[in-house]
Amino acid sequence: MTRRVYLDHNASTPVHPEVIEAMLPYLGERYGNPSSIHAFGQEARDGLETARERIARFLRVGKDEIVFTSGGTESDNLAVKGVAAARGSGHIVTSRIEHHAVLRTCQTLERQGFAVTYLPVDEHGLVDPDDVRRAIRPDTILVTVMHANSEVGTIEPIEEIGRVVRERGIPFHVDGVQTFGKVPVDVEGSGIDLLSFSSHKIYGPKGVAGLYVRKGTKMAAIQHGGEHERRRRAGTENVPGIVGLGKAVEVRGREMTAEAARLTALRDRLTEGVRARVPEVRVNGHPARRLPGTANLGFRHVESESIVLGLDLKGVAVSAGSACTSGNVEPSHVLVAMGVPLDWAMGAVRCSLGRSTTAEDVDYVIECVEPIVRKLRAASPVAAV
Amino acid sequence: MRYSPALIDHFRNPRNAGLMPSPDATGESEYAGCGDLARFYLRVRAGRAADVRFQTYGCGPTIAAASAGSELATGRRVKELMGLDRDAVEEALGGLPPDRKHAADVVAAAIRAAARDWVSRHV
Ligand SMILES: Cc1ncc(COP(=O)(O)O)c(C=O)c1O
């Protein structure tokens, strides 16, 4: 049996055992509909509201400002489309490195007549708050910038951006899916009006997430039906999932700080180890302002997917920075926006570490990478080595 | 696993990978959509591909296809190789998923180009 090492925590994480345990009663005997007024319904309602309180406390916001959704993607859609729908027309400022849940939502709104500015980033993937200031127009209705990028891990200066946006009295949405429960998020200090967060990136179940909506923020519902979630998101809540998310947040509250320090050290061990053994490697992303467990390594003149497959055969799970779909290669839009040259961007591999990652895992991966890259380069007509 | 055991085996242990010094013929093909590249080298004896080597840049399936293609081509008459079908390459790999069909295309085209290169100069 080969060793199995999972370094794809930015894609998803294993559900924490305490989370599973907390969810089980809600998959079993506590099956009522939380909107029902009878005892069965109220048991489910209690689970739902306990989770809401926990998350509100964690973010230091009001309980009524939390809306549950079906995933980070829905949270992003609700925030951006919801604000756009409440205003009817206008201009949106975002960045070129957003998750597709924001980017494609903005593109859809453009086709419906909204104007959108896609801000550039520097070579580390940082948005310049001054660019935000310059992009804001009299008709700007929303600024949406992610907290940390999932591919390269760069953490954006959302406090500074938030200050710029708040001065102008414009709603500020932050996609916090990759930072929530991993690094501190200062909702108040960053002037955030809407914050997307998800469960399956922090050892909770998939298909459940939330959106923080500051009291008074004008946001229309984009899904219509019953009175759920204070009429901001219709549909019977995913009670077991939400209970799991609440538990996951509680566990992160205990573990987050120590875990961030541990993962930063392991991540640096990984990049240093690979750099010491493999020529022509670069680290994509900001050298310091980066998610603790994220290392995006660019191997020049090798194709990412062949490295991913090579590592997969060694039991190591990482993800390819550029994806070839149906014979059409798409170098990552994030790396392109950062100006990473194509011969490096095509060989980008994202390693994202998590709770279960050990130093032995990291050393094993370093050991595996070197011969894989060497062999691929030896057989490559484009590599000089 | 998304790929067949034959494909994985070729990817893990590519046959005939690497440069051939002063080959009798070379052929190249690039898949425009994704930049995958295959280059084949032939050593020809008595009209047959006595030795075949390749270099590739691309995803795992393309590397595996080049390896399988090099085995298929070895010992064959060069004239025959001018008509090498991509399906023969795919078959040697035990099939390809729908979004990786180009691996066999690019490899078969590069082998055909190498064969044409030799024929154009020797026949
Ligand atoms: C930054 C960011 N936003 C949004 C999403 C989408 O979240 P979900 O998978 O919960 O829909 C992701 C997930 O990869 C993400 O990384």
Side-chain angles (χ1 to χ4, degrees), chain A residues 69-86:
Chain A
T69 68
S70 68
T73 299
E74 189 193 331
S75 296
D76 285 344
N77 271 264
L78 175 56
V80 177
K81 288 182 190 162
V83 169

Side-chain angles (χ1 to χ4, degrees), chain A residues 1 56 106 144 293:
Chain A
M1 175 72 196
C106 286
T144 168

Side-chain angles (χ1 to χ4, degrees), chain A residues 132-301:
Chain A
V132 177
R133 188 191 307 279
R134 283 188 285 268
I136 290 174
R137 318 193 310 205
D139 65 338
T140 302
I141 56 167
L142 177 71
V143 173
T144 168
V145 174
M146 71 199 320
H147 193 186
N149 182 271
S150 52
E151 289 183 35
V152 296
T154 297
I155 298 176
E156 299 299 335
I158 55 161
E159 303 79 10
E160 287 88 335
I161 295 172
R163 221 169 291 133
V164 168
V165 177
R166 179 162 276 187
E167 265 169 31
R168 310 289 294 265
I170 299 163
F172 182 33
H173 169 240
V174 171
D175 176 345
V177 168
Q178 287 294 345
T179 48
F180 178 73
K182 297 188 193 177
V183 295
V185 183
D186 184 359
V187 171
E188 204 45 59
S190 309
I192 298 172
D193 298 302
L194 302 122
L195 177 80
S196 301
F197 56 90
S198 191
S199 152
H200 72 111
K201 314 285 187 188
I202 55 161
Y203 312 95
K206 292 165 184 62
V208 58
L211 180 69
Y212 157 78
V213 186
R214 181 184 294 280
K215 197 162 179 267
T217 305
K218 291 194 169 51
M219 182 191 84
I222 59 170
Q223 168 167 313
H224 306 280
E227 306 287 310
H228 316 88
E229 300 298 298
R230 303 166 73 89
R231 300 175 69 181
R232 291 168 298 191
R233 197 270 186 185
T236 300
E237 292 88 350
N238 172 0
V239 178
I242 291 166
V243 167
L245 167 56
K247 190 67 183 181
V249 167
E250 187 198 300
V251 176
R252 293 314 288 169
R254 294 199 311 259
E255 295 187 347
M256 186 171 90
T257 311
E259 188 63 4
R262 195 183 75 88
L263 291 183
T264 303
L266 284 179
R267 171 197 83 188
D268 293 344
R269 182 188 184 106
L270 175 67
T271 49
E272 293 318 311
V274 171
R275 275 212 273 220
R277 283 170 186 74
V278 184
E280 301 224 76
V281 185
R282 58 177 274 161
V283 179
N284 298 311
H286 196 282
R289 288 187 63 99
R290 194 142 48 90
L291 280 176
T294 305
N296 186 303
L297 301 172
F299 297 89
R300 193 172 185 205
H301 292 316

Side-chain angles (χ1 to χ4, degrees), chain A residues 328-361:
Chain A
N328 245 313
V329 85
E330 281 189 37
S332 130
H333 69 285
V334 176
L335 298 177
V336 168
M338 287 164 58
V340 177
L342 210 59
D343 55 337
W344 292 94
M346 296 300 290
V349 172
R350 179 189 68 189
C351 306
S352 45
L353 289 55
R355 280 187 80 238
S356 65
T357 312
T358 63
E360 290 73 40
D361 289 339

